[in-house]
Amino acid sequence: MLNNLQEILSFHYVYPLPLNKFHILMKSIESTQNLIETSPAQLAKILAISTKNAGDILSKYQQVLKINLLDVYNSSSIKAIPYTSDFYPKDLYDLIDPPTILYAKGNISLLKEPRKIAIIGSRKATNYSSLAMEYIVPPLVEQKIVIVSGLAKGADSLAHRAAIQYGGKTIAVLGHGFSHIYPRENKELACEIARNHLLLTEYPPYVGVQKWQFPMRNRIISGISNAIVVTEASLKSGTLITTEHALEHGKDIFVVPGPIQKEQSKGTNSLLREGAIPISDGYQIIEELKLF
């Protein structure tokens, strides 16, 4: 299968297929070089979409193909990491729907670091999460463990800031393209991470903020991490989607036990009943993972 990076980037820009569907497409047409000759009816049948939609995709693809996207991305300090790249995290292949391309801003060598731990929790995190970060993050940073989170309000922001404050490295996985930063109040934090750490997304730069994309983002947070730490979460928290992904792939879930009367502890305490590992500091995580 001969695939040209420019062709993959162009098609992904127009129609960002996950890798499982991209493989189905390539199995049918053999190479991205044959996309230009693929008919709307043929593409529609392969991807199970309408012929009109397929025609629009192919028309836009031909237009985008004339643009050197690598130059465009480079000029915006965006690195495109296709599934064939050495920097593409191999654990993502275990997902049902791995990203075909990852887009990165910052230090992509962090993706090669063997030890990465996600710290996540409620967007309505209380001071309890702030306190938890003081106990959890410094020991992990001491061991050169990269802190992964999702740049959301609350626990995610606290995790990124704690990693930076204690001299560690952090990866923020976004649920949208780089032309948008959400939430807006994290723009300065995102710029700091892009300069000295790593911003990561599966979406081309123009893709805006859509609610359904954040659960998709969570599978990448889980996928690139060795384990998940949850500080606070309500029973209906999106955090629990991330832990489900992690459990499906045999990863440890560490939980900070919370006060039984607090709404933000109901999800975490539920995880403990289901077998998550209770922790009160980062040293316990290191011991459990036998990282010494």
Side-chain angles (χ1 to χ4, degrees), residues 84-279:
T84 52
S85 169
D86 287 342
F87 286 98
Y88 187 95
K90 301 303 180 272
D91 283 351
L92 293 183
Y93 294 144
D94 294 334
L95 299 176
I96 294 170
D97 53 354
T100 300
I101 297 174
L102 291 169
Y103 301 89
K105 275 192 172 187
N107 181 6
I108 63 172
S109 68
L110 291 180
L111 292 171
K112 290 271 201 179
E113 289 294 326
R115 300 187 294 182
K116 295 184 282 290
I117 289 180
I119 302 179
I120 58 174
S122 174
R123 284 178 169 79
K124 298 177 182 178
T126 69
N127 287 336
Y128 190 64
S129 280
S130 300
L131 180 64
M133 298 298 174
E134 294 177 17
Y135 287 89
I136 293 168
V137 175
L140 301 182
V141 166
E142 278 177 25
Q143 294 295 312
K144 307 287 192 238
I145 294 169
V146 178
I147 305 301
V148 179
S149 202
L151 201 73
K153 295 178 184 177
D156 289 18
S157 302
L158 291 171
H160 293 305
R161 289 194 169 100
I164 295 167
Q165 177 187 343
Y166 294 112
K169 290 297 181 182
T170 189
I171 298 174
V173 185
L174 311 182
H176 46 77
F178 288 134
S179 296
H180 311 267
I181 291 299
Y182 180 84
R184 288 179 184 174
E185 56 261 44
N186 278 350
K187 186 172 182 180
E188 189 176 323
L189 176 60
C191 289
E192 162 71 10
I193 293 173
R195 277 194 303 270
N196 299 308
H197 306 269
L198 184 65
L199 290 179
L200 195 67
T201 180
E202 66 180 307
Y203 298 104
Y206 68 87
V207 174
V209 178
Q210 298 289 335
K211 193 173 182 180
W212 63 268
Q213 290 165 186
F214 290 97
M216 296 294 288
R217 179 263 329 254
N218 292 347
R219 81 196 195 290
I220 297 178
I221 292 175
S222 167
I224 67 173
S225 304
N226 303 102
I228 310 291
V229 178
V230 185
T231 57
E232 291 180 288
S234 64
L235 278 173
K236 295 184 178 179
S237 172
T239 299
L240 303 186
I241 297 172
T242 313
T243 59
E244 285 171 14
H245 282 297
L247 288 169
E248 284 173 10
H249 296 97
K251 297 186 179 181
D252 287 322
I253 309 293
F254 298 100
V255 168
V256 179
I260 58 174
Q261 80 278 18
K262 296 290 187 182
E263 182 63 32
Q264 302 301 347
S265 297
K266 288 181 179 177
T268 45
N269 291 342
S270 174
L271 286 171
L272 289 172
R273 287 197 303 273
E274 293 169 11
I277 303 165
I279 54 143

Side-chain angles (χ1 to χ4, degrees), residues 25-40:
L25 175 60
M26 289 302 103
K27 189 175 180 181
S28 297
I29 67 170
E30 295 184 351
S31 166
T32 51
Q33 293 177 351
N34 296 328
L35 270 168
I36 207 80
E37 298 166 3
T38 304
S39 70

Side-chain angles (χ1 to χ4, degrees), residues 8-19 21-22 57 98-101 103 202-204 206-207 212:
I8 296 175
L9 288 175
S10 298
F11 191 78
H12 196 262
Y13 186 91
V14 173
Y15 196 61
L17 279 177
L19 187 56
K21 293 185 178 178
F22 182 75
I57 290 167
T100 300
I101 297 174
Y103 301 89
E202 66 180 307
Y203 298 104
Y206 68 87
V207 174
W212 63 268

